[in-house]
Each structure stands twice: as structure tokens, then as C-alpha cells.
Amino acid sequence: MPNQKTQVGIVGAGPAGLLLGHLLHINGVDSVIVENRSREYVIDRVRAGVLEQGTVDLLHAAGVGARLKREGLRHEGLYISFQGARHHIDFADLTGGKAITVYGQNEVVRDLIDARLTTSRPLFFDAKDVAISGMNSSTPTIRFRHGDADHQVQCDFIAGCDGFHGICRPSIPDGVLTIYERVYPFGWLGILAEAAPSSDELVYTYHERGFALFSMRSPRVTRLYLQVPPDEPIENWSDEAIWTEMLERMTTRDGWRPNVGHIVQKSVTPMRSFVATPMRHDRLFLAGDAAHIVPPTGAKGLNLAASDVLVLARAMKDFYACGRTKWLDQYSNVCARRVWKAQRFSWWMTSTLHRSPDETAFDHQRQIADLDYLTSSRAAMTSLAEQYVGLPAEVSFESAGLSGP
Ligand code: FAD
Ligand code: DHB
């Protein structure tokens, strides 16, 4: 049985696991990353697209921002659309020049995998039967099967970066975690289409028939979402039916509408808010979707994963540099403050912009009033803008061993 020792064993090669591995590498801390899917699957998985200013700065500071700088689409605002009209929210003006960048999560993952391979530190794809044990011992262990061999990695710490459906969180004994959860009575049908974006910025639409979102991936590819029932089979939606519904919800009175093109990918995602605390149990640290999920409306999930691992990298750097456990002990508390603010924002964006099956006429009028206030008050627009571009980081880049942005 191949036995290995490392400082930090990382379960999951999504954005959280790969970025953590890279931040540790920069600080001379060794890690082994174990992923149960193939490299192709991880790179091709279409998910998030909006990077906060702080996430962009972090990727640059970590030296993995070259392609992001070339290919990322900087957006200094977005549109909120309701009752047939689009209303602009100008981030740059409202936040003193901040912006978001549209760059596919799969591109971030591709860049981080390339960076990892350059370091020659271990990264296993296609690992089978991944399991962790010994979290309360001095050598917590990751076991898995790779090819024909059984592997065992003895670690100082394990980072559970294996997403919402991973094995790390369920490995924590019953009674340790407090779970906070809200499941929404709708999901998102998302498509990628070969069509030039018809707007330079995202358009979040509240419509009588439900929410719709216009986004993009490149000057030739549009990304669109539709509110649908949470368990909606994608087979129910022909390409023609998708376009009819998109155009119905998104076309505004001034004639703006998305360009129609060949649909290259489509899927339905359910929506939930979920937090498990504490994000640490003995020598296991949970980061990203393994610890919390937000509904995608605020575009916060990937960004929260990045901010968690920045906090964790700072704590581990400090431990290996001077044996101090203070920041490891504080990890969950430091992360939770940001997590809850992102939860609140994502819940608010979701409940303001979606139609709920059990809503009353009162709820509907309140939503319209909320959107009217949002798009006519500078104070309300500033509040949205500062949360959408991202609240300030919990820890400085320097404290995590990175040079400033
Ligand atoms: P994941 O990306 O889920 O990575 C976990 C990894 O662990 C995966 O590679 C998985 O295969 C692996 N794994 C799972 N189980 C095991 C196991 N047993 N052993 C080993 N490996 C395992 N966020 C944003 O910030 N902005 C957006 O615009 C946005 N839009 C979104 C749109 C959609 C439709 C969806 C679904 C999500 C969106 N998100 C967005 C959320 C974002 O995609 C997630 O929050 C992000 O992927 C979290 O990263 P992670 O590394 O924590 O988890
Ligand atoms: C995208 C996803 C989101 O969840 C969001 O709020 C905005 C944009 C996207 O995939 O482009």
C-alpha cells in the first residue's frame, strides 16, 4: 500500500482545494490533493462566473491571474430589470472604482490545476472510496484507491474542500455541528449558448413568470438562467421552449433582448442556503461548499470558497512558521462573519427577484416596491454594489504570505 506523509491533506480539487494547495505551496507548506472526479470532468464542469474584486486580487497576488487578466471581462455595473425596464447600478461610481470580473469557474480551476502541476506536488484525480479518519489524533489520515493501488496519506491537518456532497462534513461525529438550512421552492435552469452577449453587463430580471438572468462567458458565448421548479427534469425543456421563455421574461420595452444561438450546455440546479458550524473539528477544517451553500443569485459561492481558504492559509502559515495555533483556533469564527453576511445578501437577492409558489398578493407588491426603492435610491444601490463587488477581506494578503494586490 503506497504510504505518504504530508503536512496538509486536501480532499477535493474544486476552487477551494486547488487554491488552498497553491497558497500553502507559496508558503512552503506541503500538501496532497485528492479528487474523486477526472481532470476533464473538473475542468469542464460549468458553474459560477462572477469573481469579486477581492477574489481577482487574490488570484493575481497568488500568481495565477495571467489568463484572467487577458480573458476576464471586467464589469463596472449591472442591470436590474422589472416591469419591462432595465435600471443600471454603477459599481464603479458607488464603490469608488470597484468592479467584478466575469471569468468562468472552470477557467479558474484550469489555471489552478496548471499551477499545481508546475509545482510537482501531488494531485490525484479519479480517486475512489475516499475516506478520512483520525481527526482527533496527531496524524489524521486520508485513504483512497487510485488505479490498482490503495493509498494512505498521513497528515498534520485535513482540509475538507469536497463540496456540499463530499465525505468530510459527514465524517464529523453527530452532535458536533450546528446546521442552519433553508431550501427554496425553485431552481435555476442554466444554459450556455453560442451567441454574442447583447449587453455589456449582467441583467437580473424579475418577471411575472419568474426570475431570469443574463450573463456571459466571452464575446461569443452567452450564459443565461431561468427560474424553474426545483425538481424540473431538463428533458421537459426543448431548446425552442427555453428560448421562448428566456425572451418572454427578458425582453424589455426598449427592445433589448438576449441574442439567440445554439445551446451547447443545459442543466437544472436546486437552490438552498446552508451553513454548518463550527467549520473545524479537531484537525479537520471545512472550507467552501463543504461548509456552506448560498443560492446563486448573489454570485457568492465561489468567492466565499476563496475567502475561506485565504483565512485558512494564513492560519496554517502562522502555525508552520512559529507554532502558533491562535489563527487555527479562530478559523471558524473569522470565516463565519463573512459567510453570514454573504448568506444574508444571497437570501435577499433571491427573495427579492424570484416568484415564490406560496407568495401572496402582498408579497408581490412588496417585491415591486423593494425593486423600485433599490433602483431609485442611491443608498440602496450603494448597499447592493458594495456587497456584490465583495466586502473587504477578513485577513490581509501579506498575513497569508502573499505580496499585496
Ligand atoms: P466544489 O466546486 O463543489 O468542489 C469540490 C470538489 O470536491 C469537486 O471537484 C468534487 O468533485 C470533489 N469531491 C466531492 N466529493 C469528493 C470525495 N468524496 N473525494 C474527493 N473529492 C470529492 N459562485 C459564485 O461565486 N459566483 C457565481 O456566479 C456562481 N454561480 C453559480 C451558478 C451555478 C449554476 C452553481 C451550481 C453554482 C454557482 N456558484 C457561484 C457557486 C460555486 O460554483 C460554488 O460555491 C463553488 O464551486 C464552491 O467551490 P468548492 O471548491 O468549495 O466546491
Ligand atoms: C452567473 C452566475 C450567478 O449565480 C450570478 O449571480 C451571476 C452570473 C454566471 O454564471 O455568469
Side-chain angles (χ1 to χ4, degrees), residues 70-237:
R70 282 198 310 276
E71 297 176 19
L73 306 169
R74 182 180 159 89
H75 288 197
E76 296 194 343
L78 58 68
Y79 292 93
I80 299 285
S81 175
F82 66 105
Q83 295 182 318
R86 282 184 300 158
H87 304 262
H88 193 235
I89 301 207
D90 188 334
F91 301 151
D93 174 38
L94 296 163
T95 65
K98 290 190 182 156
I100 52 113
T101 298
V102 173
Y103 188 66
Q105 173 170 330
N106 55 319
E107 306 299 344
V108 174
V109 164
R110 185 194 294 267
D111 294 343
L112 288 167
I113 290 174
D114 288 349
R116 178 73 181 186
L117 297 178
T118 313
T119 68
S120 305
R121 296 196 194 267
L123 165 55
F124 292 92
F125 287 104
D126 296 304
K128 301 281 170 270
D129 303 327
V130 181
I132 61 170
S133 59
M135 286 169 277
N136 54 0
S137 74
S138 58
T139 50
T141 302
I142 306 177
R143 291 189 176 74
F144 60 98
R145 204 170 165 72
H146 192 250
D148 290 335
D150 288 321
H151 289 248
Q152 180 170 305
V153 185
Q154 290 190 338
C155 321
D156 297 336
F157 302 105
I158 294 177
C161 301
D162 51 348
F164 185 65
H165 299 288
I167 50 99
C168 288
R169 191 182 66 251
S171 306
I172 296 175
D174 287 350
V176 171
L177 296 178
T178 302
I179 305 290
Y180 305 86
E181 188 168 24
R182 173 186 283 262
V183 177
Y184 297 87
F186 35 76
W188 276 14
L189 186 163
I191 63 164
L192 269 185
E194 287 170 346
S198 60
S199 161
D200 289 344
E201 291 173 350
L202 272 58
V203 185
Y204 284 81
T205 300
Y206 174 84
H207 188 271
E208 304 291 312
R209 297 174 63 86
F211 171 77
L213 171 60
F214 170 92
S215 182
M216 65 201 70
R217 283 294 177 273
S218 74
R220 285 183 308 283
V221 176
T222 298
R223 174 91 168 131
L224 300 169
Y225 298 98
L226 274 184
Q227 174 186 348
V228 294
D231 45 5
E232 183 84 334
I234 190 69
E235 299 73 39
N236 286 0
W237 287 83

Side-chain angles (χ1 to χ4, degrees), residues 331-391:
Y331 168 70
S332 185
N333 289 342
V334 172
C335 290
R337 291 186 62 205
R338 187 182 193 84
V339 167
W340 276 110
K341 279 179 259 182
Q343 288 288 352
R344 196 211 63 80
F345 179 66
S346 306
W347 162 83
W348 173 76
M349 286 281 281
T350 302
S351 40
T352 303
L353 287 161
H354 290 71
R355 305 258 4 225
S356 194
D358 54 7
E359 74 181 27
T360 60
F362 177 90
D363 295 326
H364 181 50
Q365 295 305 325
R366 181 194 48 76
Q367 279 177 297
I368 298 289
D370 214 342
L371 291 165
D372 191 8
Y373 173 63
L374 169 64
T375 53
S376 56
S377 153
R378 188 171 170 91
M381 285 190 276
T382 304
S383 172
L384 182 141
E386 74 171 357
Q387 295 180 83
Y388 199 87
V389 299
L391 296 171

Side-chain angles (χ1 to χ4, degrees), residues 10-18 34-38 41-42 45-52 55 105 109 124-125 127 129-131 160-168 188 190 202 204 213 215 217 223 225 267-270 287-306 308 388:
I10 300 175
V11 185
L18 289 164
V34 181
E35 162 66 48
N36 66 351
R37 300 288 196 159
S38 69
Y41 181 92
V42 169
R45 190 164 41 192
V46 180
R47 291 176 87 180
V50 172
L51 304 184
E52 292 176 357
T55 306
Q105 173 170 330
V109 164
F124 292 92
F125 287 104
D129 303 327
V130 181
C161 301
D162 51 348
F164 185 65
H165 299 288
I167 50 99
C168 288
W188 276 14
L202 272 58
Y204 284 81
L213 171 60
S215 182
R217 283 294 177 273
R223 174 91 168 131
Y225 298 98
S267 61
V268 174
T269 317
D289 279 15
H292 41 74
I293 293 278
V294 283
T297 325
K300 290 285 165 247
L302 166 61
N303 294 294
L304 273 185
D308 284 355
Y388 199 87

